[in-house]
Every structure is written in C-alpha cells, then in structure tokens.
Amino acid sequence: MIGKGGVPLGHVALVHEDAERAESIARVLRGVGHRVTVVIPGRRVLQHVLDCGPDLLMVSLSVTDPSVLTVARGVRQALGPDLPVLVLYKYDVSDAPAETDEIVREPADAAELELRVGRLLKAQSEKRILQRKSQELLGLYKMSWAFSLAGGEDALFGHIARQVAEQVQAERGVVLLYDQERRQMVAKSPAYGFSPEHILRLRYFVDGEARSRWNFRKNGPLLSNKAKADTRLLSEFVSDLGVQSLMVAPMTRGPEFLGLLLVADRANRAPFTEEDLNLLLAMAAQATVAVENMTLHSELKRANTQLQEFDRLKSEFVGIVAHDFRKPLMAIRGFAELVLEEPDLPLETRQEFMRTVINETEHLALLANDTLLITQIETGQFAFNWSEIDLGPFILDAVPLGLSDHSVLMDVPAGFPKIMADAVRLRQVITNLTMNAVKYSPAGGSITVRCRERGTDHILVEVVDHGLGIPPDQVGKLFQKFERVRTTEHLAISGTGLGLYICRLIAEGHGGQIWVESELGKGSTFGLSLPRDASKLARLAREGTTPPPPALVAPAENPAATSSAPTPEKTDGTDPA
Ligand code: ADP
C-alpha cells in the first residue's frame, strides 16, 4: 500500500516501556496511514513482536528487560536481517545496538517521525521488490534450462506445469494446447497436482461461448481467486478442474494462439496477486518457445517417418512393377513380334495372338490403376465421393452376369434402405468379391450375393461361393498387399493379390470392415459391413468423435469355418469369430 507522497505504508511494531508515550507515537504514525502495534516490554515481548509480523521495528532505548539488543537481534533472526530497526532514545544514544538503522530523539517531532519511518519503509519496500525480481529472474533462468533440457513431449508438459506452479507457490499447474482441427482446448499430460485420469477429462470446445464469459482463449490473461463463483469463467470447465483459485496466461506467438498455462490453488490458500500473474505471463513466454520447439521437433520426426514410409512403399511398388508388369509386357512383346515376323501365320492364329495382346494390355492397365489407387489411399490423397445408393439395382449392376459355369443368386430384401457410399468404389469391392468367387470356384457352382441390415446404422453384404476355399493358416493374411493363397490350385489362377487389399482400404475408408470365413475345399463367404451413412462417419472421424465400430457378425452357418478379420492391427478387440 502507498500513502501520501508515494511513501509506502507498513506495519510498525513499537516496543516501549511507557504506554502513554507509545500511544502518542502510534497516533502520529496511524495518522499517516501506517499500522502500529504497541508492545509493552516483558517476558513475551519477542513473541508479541513476531506475531504481528512487522515491516519495521521501533524500540525505545530505555527498554532493558530484555535489552534492546536482544529484541532487535531476535526479531531479525526470525524475520530476516533486512528488517529495519529504529531506536528511540531520551538521554544517551551510545547504548544503541549496531543493528540500528535510524535513531530518533524523544519526544520526537511528529514530522521527523513520519519522515524517518517513511524513509525506512520505502528503502525496505524497494529492497523487497529488488529481491523478488532477482528471485523471479533466477526462477525464469532456471526454468528456461529445465524446459530446454526436458526430454520429449511427455516430459516437457510435466516440467512446465511443475516449474510454473512452484514459482508462484501453486498446488497445481497444467498446460492446455489448442487443437485447431477439433477446435478444442486440451489439457496435456503430465500435469502437476492433477492425476492423469483427471487430465484426460479436461478439455472444452472453444467456439460457441458467450463473449461475455471468459473463454480461456481470446480474453488474455486471467486471475480469479473465487473461480467457482466467477461468472467470466466457463463454469463446467471450472467444476471439472475442481479448483478454488486460478491464474491463466495465454501462450501466443504473434497472432498465433498455441494454448494456455494454468496454475491453481495457492499452497497456503493465500490469494494470487497481479504480481503473480505478471510472473506467470513471463513464464508463459518461455513455455511457448519450449512447446513450439517441441512441436516443430515432433513434426519433423513425423514427416521423416512418413517420408521413410513413402520411400518404402515406393520401393515396394517398383519391385511389383518389375515383377508383375514384366510378365504381361513380355507376352505382348512376344506375340507382337510373332505377328510381325511371321507374315504367313493363318488368320485365326494371328487373331488369337492379337487377342492375347489386347488381354495382356487390359491386365496391365488394371494393374496400373490398382497400384495408383493404393498409393492415393495410402498417402491420404484419395477423396471418397459420397452419393445415395439403392443397393438392389446397384448390386445387380455390379455383379457379372452371363457366366456359363456359375449361377449367381442375388438376395436383397425388398425395401432395403438406401445407403450413402462412394458408388464407384463400392462397385469395385462387390465386383472384385464376386469375380473372385467365380475365379476361385473353377469347377463352377452357385454364388450368392446377399444384403442384410445390421442394427439401425449398418448394412452387411455377403458373397458366398462353394469353390476352392482357403487353408486356415493363410486366411488371416489375404487382406494384405500382394498376398495370395499358396496352393497349386490357387496359384494356377492368375491374379495380383491386390484386389482384397484394395477392398479393405475402401471398406475402412467407409468406416466399415471386411472379413472372410472359409473352409478349404468347401468354399468361402466374404463379408462387408458398412455404415448406412459413410459420409457422416467420415465427417465425425475428421472431427475426432468417431463412434466405436459395431461388433462384427459371428459366422452363423458354419461354425467349423476359419474366419479372419482383415486387419491384424485392429484395436477394438472385436472379431467376427
Ligand atoms: P487376386 O485374385 O488378383 O490374386 P485378390 O486380392 O482379390 O487378388 O485375392 C487375394 C487372394 O485371395 C487370391 O489370390 C486368392 O488366393 C485368394 N482368394 C480371394 N478370393 C477367394 C475365394 N473366393 N476363394 C478362394 N480364395 C480366394
């Protein structure tokens, strides 16, 4: 507090053996605004002085029991060597202890008393400010080291939270980062004084709040010593936090907003002050640099890993191009040369050779399309094109007809609900599954394509054949790139091993799943589960609020069958079996 003429006001402990004199001195000082506690000497004089926690000790030299020296030393020992001591004397000043900062003769002139006390308190307050500043600087210096030495993302948030909280003697501290994609403020773990489970719950949407309310984002720094009753705060967030008092400093770089530094609850329940907030702001600037460095570092690491992955995919494709593209290319070249070099070839043979050239060219084009599509989906460059689909006519169109050795039965209940999906890609999946059913049933037989509803939100498409089937030990791999069943019969049928992998990418791109149940020599059932509205699901996934996928259907008809969910890395723990 500051009094008249810029003089700081303080608490004076006045030890005097003459109660009347003491009161008249106290009146003078109180008149200017100081607080004065008069202590009459006796056995517990030291304790009384300490109890009032003075900013200045004023003691009369005529105090003898205990001596002025004992009182002055005792008080300084307890409250710090800088506590100013003013001695009042009547007759002889020579007994004044070395600890004395000022001496005033009694009866003191009121103006002189005011002046001396004011001067001492001013010096004292300046000294305290300097001390605090150097403490803060030391703290900031130590903190910047701690931040820069912190290893990794996880350690950094914990370091910042603890260091910052300790600097302002708060019991809790946490860093909240702004997630631009989700438009959410998200508390980062580890924090200080909050459990990891608690931190997981601490998040809130930043948009859509009343402007009058503090949104922890746009309104700059904040100090609230009664957080629960503070109408500027987001009450739900404060109750999630479960704190009494808090301070928040934004972490910004220019116009860019990174997040917030939040500390809460003073260790001794004392209120936070403006000075604490200023210190927090200084620390927030340091924390911003540390968080930014860490973010850049993680981004760099992520980009590097992604590059390595792209590089691996590229090499893989180059390998495939060399292998799978060479066979048809050699055939095209061989037959073309024959036609060119043998002018006497009978017309029929020539036509047959040219048909082979055309077929191999088509095969190459398909292979090129498949590899391109895979690269686009894997690298996130593929955008699905959602439209409404009436599955009955759609499946009729997607399934190959006019097969001589196979009969195809379509089973789509009347009034089957329309779904939202990517028509071109869904057609690709259904065509691929039925073509496989035909291909891998070389002896012919019936193939069934059926659709069923699953709950209110999903549909199921199944393609059933009675062909070669799949050995149990290979069923789990088929939805991976280039995987083919390794039996003589299967390998005799030409294929690339990319079709089912593409089906899986498309199914997952729709928020769905694909799997197979099969028995060697008896046949296979490929199942495809899709949400009724994949566009909605894709949108939710972008916003990070994807509902959990439904449990897969159990293989109902053939319990002995071997089945496989497509993704070995599947995390929801469900399995079609
Ligand atoms: P492709 O037929 O071009 O090799 P796919 O990725 O569509 O590629 O299939 C991968 C492998 O799965 C096939 O090579 C085949 O061994 C096996 N497969 C697919 N569908 C069936 C089926 N209906 N019956 C038996 N095996 C199948």
Side-chain angles (χ1 to χ4, degrees):
M1 268 210 302
I2 304 291
K4 256 197 330 209
V7 175
L9 297 177
H11 191 168
V12 178
L14 170 56
V15 184
H16 209 296
E17 77 294 346
D18 181 340
E20 211 174 300
R21 276 285 327 128
E23 270 314 317
S24 83
I25 293 173
R27 252 196 315 279
V28 171
L29 296 178
R30 284 181 190 132
V32 205
H34 298 297
R35 222 173 119 198
V36 183
T37 304
V38 174
V39 181
I40 303 300
R43 235 171 8 99
R44 293 177 50 77
V45 62
L46 201 62
Q47 192 54 51
H48 285 144
V49 172
L50 295 182
D51 283 349
C52 69
D55 303 304
L56 169 74
L57 171 68
M58 198 185 245
V59 56
S60 157
L61 252 193
S62 40
V63 172
T64 48
D65 186 21
S67 72
V68 173
L69 181 70
T70 312
V71 176
R73 284 206 175 145
V75 173
R76 277 192 164 169
Q77 228 164 38
L79 301 179
D82 298 327
L83 187 93
V85 175
L86 186 150
V87 164
L88 297 161
Y89 76 102
K90 235 181 204 162
Y91 311 111
D92 185 4
V93 77
S94 62
D95 284 345
E99 278 77 5
T100 309
D101 295 298
E102 283 277 5
I103 41 175
V104 173
R105 187 184 183 123
E106 285 195 86
D109 169 60
E112 188 192 356
L113 206 58
E114 273 172 31
L115 187 80
R116 298 280 176 99
V117 167
R119 211 156 56 191
L120 282 178
L121 284 174
K122 190 164 181 209
Q124 168 77 344
S125 129
E126 282 168 358
K127 209 185 287 177
R128 279 185 181 162
I129 289 172
L130 273 176
Q131 270 169 352
R132 203 176 40 239
K133 282 261 177 287
S134 76
Q135 281 286 326
E136 286 176 9
L137 281 174
L138 190 69
L140 283 173
Y141 174 73
K142 280 203 306 215
M143 213 170 55
S144 64
W145 270 103
F147 288 179
S148 60
L149 291 175
E153 186 164 335
D154 292 347
L156 180 68
F157 294 127
H159 270 285
I160 295 178
R162 202 192 66 229
Q163 295 277 340
V164 168
E166 279 176 1
Q167 283 295 315
V168 293
Q169 290 114 49
E171 284 177 346
R172 298 158 178 230
V174 59
V175 176
L176 291 116
L177 288 192
Y178 177 52
D179 183 331
Q180 223 157 6
E181 226 166 83
R182 298 181 184 177
R183 309 184 82 74
Q184 256 188 337
M185 289 297 304
V186 181
K188 303 308 274 186
S189 199
Y192 178 70
F194 292 99
S195 69
E197 299 77 42
H198 194 167
I199 287 299
L200 274 180
R201 295 199 306 271
L202 291 182
R203 52 181 59 214
Y204 59 89
F205 283 100
V206 170
D207 292 336
E209 297 144 16
R211 278 197 160 251
S212 56
R213 289 206 307 175
W214 170 256
N215 62 18
F216 291 95
R217 183 159 100 89
K218 294 172 189 140
N219 301 2
L222 172 99
L223 188 164
S224 179
N225 279 315
K226 288 203 175 97
K228 280 189 182 143
D230 197 328
T231 51
R232 296 168 305 162
L233 301 174
L234 293 173
S235 53
E236 317 83 62
F237 183 64
V238 172
S239 86
D240 275 351
L241 271 174
V243 300
Q244 308 291 329
S245 57
L246 57 81
M247 289 198 298
V248 183
M251 304 202 305
T252 51
R253 196 199 48 184
E256 202 187 330
F257 176 86
L258 291 185
L260 300 171
L261 203 51
L262 184 149
V263 290
D265 292 345
R266 257 285 166 76
N268 48 11
R269 299 278 155 216
F272 289 117
T273 64
E274 285 297 324
E275 279 165 17
D276 296 326
L277 186 60
N278 284 336
L279 181 57
L280 186 70
L281 284 168
M283 292 188 283
Q286 300 238 7
T288 307
V289 176
V291 169
E292 265 210 310
N293 280 346
M294 181 209 67
T295 316
L296 286 176
H297 185 247
S298 323
E299 269 169 20
L300 212 67
K301 250 170 68 183
R302 243 194 315 275
N304 201 22
T305 319
Q306 214 170 27
L307 269 178
Q308 281 174 356
E309 175 62 9
F310 286 168
D311 204 43
R312 194 186 62 74
L313 288 174
K314 199 190 74 193
S315 313
E316 206 172 68
F317 275 125
V318 171
I320 295 311
V321 169
H323 181 264
D324 282 283
F325 280 52
R326 180 183 283 184
K327 214 176 107 213
L329 274 174
M330 295 316 285
I332 292 169
R333 186 187 167 139
F335 283 107
E337 272 174 3
L338 276 176
V339 172
L340 200 67
E341 286 162 12
E342 304 282 340
D344 303 329
L345 274 181
L347 182 65
E348 224 170 87
T349 317
R350 185 184 292 260
Q351 280 177 335
E352 195 194 316
F353 285 1
M354 288 316 287
R355 258 196 303 276
T356 311
V357 168
I358 290 169
N359 284 347
E360 292 295 341
T361 316
E362 268 173 12
H363 180 72
L364 272 181
L366 282 177
L367 204 60
N369 282 347
D370 281 356
T371 47
L372 189 68
L373 181 66
I374 289 175
T375 314
Q376 284 176 332
I377 300 183
E378 277 181 345
T379 55
Q381 291 165 35
F382 185 83
F384 286 98
N385 193 0
W386 310 118
S387 66
E388 198 175 57
I389 292 172
D390 190 351
L391 270 181
F394 184 81
I395 284 182
L396 199 66
D397 192 41
V399 165
L401 295 173
L403 303 160
S404 52
D405 297 330
H406 302 81
S407 61
V408 182
L409 176 78
M410 264 159 292
D411 173 8
V412 184
F416 199 77
K418 291 186 176 158
I419 64 164
M420 283 292 273
D422 183 317
V424 174
R425 297 305 149 199
L426 183 57
R427 188 192 160 96
Q428 185 172 358
V429 176
I430 291 168
T431 307
N432 194 85
L433 294 182
T434 35
M435 289 297 280
N436 276 356
V438 171
K439 252 176 29 176
Y440 297 102
S441 307
S446 70
I447 289 156
T448 307
V449 182
R450 64 170 169 246
C451 295
R452 292 288 179 267
E453 290 182 53
R454 284 181 67 199
T456 48
D457 294 333
H458 287 74
I459 60 115
L460 171 71
V461 181
E462 283 180 312
V463 179
V464 187
D465 70 54
H466 304 282
L468 296 179
I470 299 159
D473 62 323
Q474 297 185 42
V475 87
K477 302 183 192 154
L478 290 185
F479 294 89
Q480 290 170 34
K481 221 184 289 179
F482 308 122
E483 282 298 336
R484 304 200 63 209
V485 173
R486 303 190 188 285
T487 71
T488 325
E489 286 115 310
H490 284 85
L491 291 176
I493 299 163
S494 79
T496 60
L498 286 180
L500 287 184
Y501 178 64
I502 293 177
C503 289
R504 173 187 147 192
L505 291 181
I506 294 173
E508 288 175 355
H510 279 67
Q513 284 169 306
I514 188 167
W515 64 93
V516 59
E517 299 144 26
S518 186
E519 200 174 354
L520 191 61
K522 296 224 164 142
S524 313
T525 298
F526 281 81
L528 168 72
S529 156
L530 292 178
R532 280 198 195 177
D533 187 349
S535 66
K536 188 168 118 198
L537 228 82
R539 204 178 54 242
L540 289 176
R542 271 200 307 280
E543 289 163 5
T545 46
T546 321
L552 293 169
V553 279
E557 285 152 24
N558 187 357
T562 319
S563 70
S564 163
T567 46
E569 66 275 20
K570 200 160 67 76
T571 52
D572 63 356
T574 56
D575 194 280

